[in-house]
Amino acid sequence: SVRRKMNAAQRVQGGNDKKLEATLKKMNVQTINGMEEVNMFKEDGSVIHFQAPKVSANISSNTFVEGGSAETRSPARASCLTSC
């Protein structure tokens, strides 16, 4: 018999985003528009800064989801969040 080369199936990246969206939909979160920035303060004094994030929330269950590009700032730079 003739051996045939088996082609690998192409997988589409971004499946995690679809799973995340499905999970958030189950949690009944709603998008909050108009957020310009989000700052999350860590115990060591550093700050995680999101500029123009995508924010979703379910306020009744105290659940918030922030998405977007984040920048971690040291305690020295944390004092000048908007001007530096």
Side-chain angles (χ1 to χ4, degrees):
S1 71
V2 178
R3 263 187 127 165
R4 295 185 182 159
K5 186 177 179 182
M6 186 172 175
N7 290 332
Q10 299 276 334
R11 292 193 179 190
V12 178
Q13 295 294 328
N16 289 338
D17 289 340
K18 291 180 183 179
K19 287 181 182 179
L20 178 63
E21 291 295 326
T23 303
L24 292 176
K25 190 173 182 178
K26 286 180 188 177
M27 294 175 63
N28 200 20
V29 296
Q30 297 177 353
T31 303
I32 299 175
N33 295 325
M35 287 278 186
E36 293 180 11
E37 64 182 4
V38 172
N39 295 314
M40 299 173 74
F41 298 92
K42 295 171 66 174
E43 290 180 355
D44 64 354
S46 61
V47 178
I48 301 173
H49 178 74
F50 292 88
Q51 187 68 35
K54 295 179 182 177
V55 180
S56 301
N58 183 343
I59 297 174
S60 63
S61 66
N62 200 21
T63 303
F64 293 86
V65 179
E66 289 91 16
S69 59
E71 177 185 352
T72 303
R73 297 185 177 183
S74 64
R77 285 196 59 211
S79 61
C80 59
L81 285 174
T82 57
S83 62
C84 295

